[in-house]
Amino acid sequence: MVRITYVEADGRTQEVDAQPGWSLMEAAFHNGIEGIEAECGGACVCATCHIYMDERYLEKIKPMESGEDEMLDCAAAERKPNSRLSCQIEITDELEGAVVQIPETQI
Ligand code: FES
């Protein structure tokens, strides 16, 4: 299992033990984390799973593909340099200790 910390928009912090192979979106869903809507279920067509990725780990995750890049332009909350779609980030052992910030709104 991989320890991931989610910081909800109101500042509440939750640590979860996530299954490698899941996406950050799936790990949030399975652990009752609030604030990631994921309306399309991970198909990369809704941008309601927007997160701000821990900058220390940006080099350890798969680079963004064009579809994710385009969808992030449609995200409801401000897009930042560390914005990603959580359904597109696979959990690996390298993400141990990562902190994921959830934006204030997804819709
Ligand atoms: S769940 Fe829809 S884009 Fe990630």
Side-chain angles (χ1 to χ4, degrees), residues 25 36-50 71 85-88:
M25 177 275 280
I36 295 178
E37 303 291 331
E39 286 179 355
C40 77
C44 197
V45 293
C46 76
T48 62
C49 65
H50 179 201
M71 287 312 304
L85 295 180
S86 57
C87 70
Q88 299 301 302

Side-chain angles (χ1 to χ4, degrees), residues 73-92:
D73 283 339
C74 306
E78 177 191 2
R79 181 173 180 173
K80 299 180 181 179
N82 60 337
S83 286
R84 293 295 304 259
L85 295 180
S86 57
C87 70
Q88 299 301 302
I89 300 176
E90 181 180 342
I91 294 170
T92 65

Side-chain angles (χ1 to χ4, degrees), residues 7-10 34-36 47-52 75-78 80 83-84 100-106:
V7 182
E8 295 179 8
D10 64 3
E34 294 182 6
I36 295 178
T48 62
C49 65
H50 179 201
I51 52 113
Y52 301 121
E78 177 191 2
K80 299 180 181 179
S83 286
R84 293 295 304 259
V100 174
Q101 175 77 49
I102 300 171
E104 282 194 13
T105 184
Q106 298 284 3

